[in-house]
Coordinates of all heavy atoms in Angstrom, one line a residue:
D27 N 78.9 107.9 77.6 CA 79.8 107.1 76.9 C 80.5 108.0 75.8 O 79.9 108.7 75.1 CB 79.0 105.9 76.3 CG 78.3 105.0 77.2 OD1 79.1 104.7 78.3 OD2 77.3 104.6 77.1
L28 N 81.8 107.7 75.7 CA 82.6 108.4 74.7 C 83.2 107.4 73.7 O 82.8 106.2 73.7 CB 83.7 109.1 75.3 CG 83.3 110.2 76.5 CD1 84.7 110.8 77.0 CD2 82.5 111.2 75.9
E29 N 84.1 107.9 72.8 CA 84.5 106.9 71.8 C 85.5 105.9 72.5 O 86.1 106.2 73.7 CB 85.2 107.6 70.7 CG 86.5 108.4 71.2 CD 86.3 109.7 71.9 OE1 85.2 110.0 72.0 OE2 87.4 110.2 72.5
K30 N 85.8 104.7 71.9 CA 86.8 103.8 72.3 C 86.4 103.0 73.8 O 87.4 103.0 74.6 CB 88.0 104.3 72.3 CG 88.7 104.7 71.0 CD 90.1 105.1 70.9 CE 90.5 105.5 69.4 NZ 91.7 106.1 69.4
G31 N 85.2 103.2 74.1 CA 84.7 102.6 75.4 C 85.0 103.5 76.6 O 84.9 103.1 77.7
R32 N 85.4 104.7 76.4 CA 85.7 105.6 77.6 C 84.3 106.1 78.1 O 83.5 106.3 77.4 CB 86.5 106.7 77.1 CG 87.9 106.3 76.7 CD 88.7 107.4 76.1 NE 88.8 108.7 77.0 CZ 88.2 109.7 76.6 NH1 87.8 110.0 75.4 NH2 88.5 110.9 77.3
V33 N 84.5 106.4 79.4 CA 83.3 107.0 80.1 C 83.7 108.1 81.0 O 84.6 108.1 81.7 CB 82.5 105.9 81.0 CG1 81.3 106.6 81.7 CG2 82.1 104.7 80.3
A34 N 83.0 109.3 80.8 CA 83.4 110.5 81.5 C 82.2 111.4 81.9 O 81.2 111.2 81.3 CB 84.4 111.3 80.7
Y35 N 82.4 112.2 83.0 CA 81.4 113.2 83.2 C 81.2 114.3 82.2 O 82.4 114.9 81.9 CB 81.6 113.8 84.7 CG 81.2 112.8 85.8 CD1 82.3 112.1 86.4 CD2 80.0 112.4 86.2 CE1 82.1 111.3 87.4 CE2 79.7 111.4 87.1 CZ 80.8 111.0 87.8 OH 80.6 110.0 88.8
K36 N 80.2 114.7 81.7 CA 80.0 115.8 81.0 C 78.8 116.7 81.3 O 77.7 116.2 81.9 CB 79.7 115.3 79.3 CG 80.8 114.6 78.7 CD 82.0 115.5 78.5 CE 83.2 114.7 77.9 NZ 84.4 115.6 77.6
E37 N 78.9 117.9 80.9 CA 77.8 118.9 81.4 C 76.6 118.6 80.6 O 76.7 118.3 79.4 CB 78.1 120.2 81.1 CG 77.2 121.2 81.5 CD 77.4 122.7 81.4 OE1 78.7 123.0 81.0 OE2 76.5 123.6 81.5
F38 N 75.5 118.3 81.2 CA 74.1 117.9 80.5 C 73.7 118.9 79.5 O 73.6 120.0 80.0 CB 73.2 117.6 81.6 CG 71.8 117.2 81.1 CD1 71.7 115.8 80.5 CD2 70.8 118.0 81.1 CE1 70.4 115.5 79.9 CE2 69.5 117.7 80.5 CZ 69.3 116.5 79.8
S39 N 73.3 118.4 78.4 CA 72.5 119.1 77.6 C 71.2 118.3 77.2 O 71.3 117.0 77.2 CB 73.4 119.5 76.4 OG 73.8 118.3 75.7
D40 N 70.2 118.9 76.7 CA 68.9 118.2 76.4 C 69.2 117.0 75.5 O 69.8 117.2 74.4 CB 68.0 119.2 75.8 CG 66.5 118.6 75.6 OD1 66.1 117.9 76.6 OD2 65.8 118.8 74.7
G41 N 68.6 115.9 75.9 CA 68.7 114.7 75.0 C 70.0 113.8 75.3 O 70.1 112.7 74.8
M42 N 70.9 114.3 76.2 CA 72.1 113.5 76.5 C 71.7 112.2 77.3 O 70.8 112.4 78.1 CB 73.1 114.4 77.3 CG 74.4 113.8 77.5 SD 75.5 114.9 78.5 CE 76.0 116.0 77.2
V43 N 72.3 111.1 76.9 CA 71.9 109.9 77.5 C 73.0 109.5 78.7 O 74.3 109.5 78.3 CB 71.8 108.7 76.6 CG1 71.6 107.4 77.2 CG2 70.8 109.1 75.5
M44 N 72.4 109.1 79.8 CA 73.5 108.6 80.8 C 74.0 107.3 80.6 O 73.2 106.4 80.3 CB 72.8 108.8 82.2 CG 73.6 108.4 83.5 SD 72.8 108.7 85.0 CE 71.6 107.5 84.9
S45 N 75.3 107.1 80.8 CA 75.9 105.8 80.6 C 75.4 104.7 81.6 O 75.2 105.1 82.7 CB 77.5 106.1 80.8 OG 78.1 104.8 80.7

Side-chain angles (χ1 to χ4, degrees):
D27 295 320
L28 305 178
E29 72 282 352
K30 298 182 180 179
R32 293 171 53 242
V33 183
Y35 289 105
K36 293 293 182 182
E37 183 178 352
F38 175 77
S39 59
D40 188 39
M42 186 178 287
V43 178
M44 183 171 64
S45 173

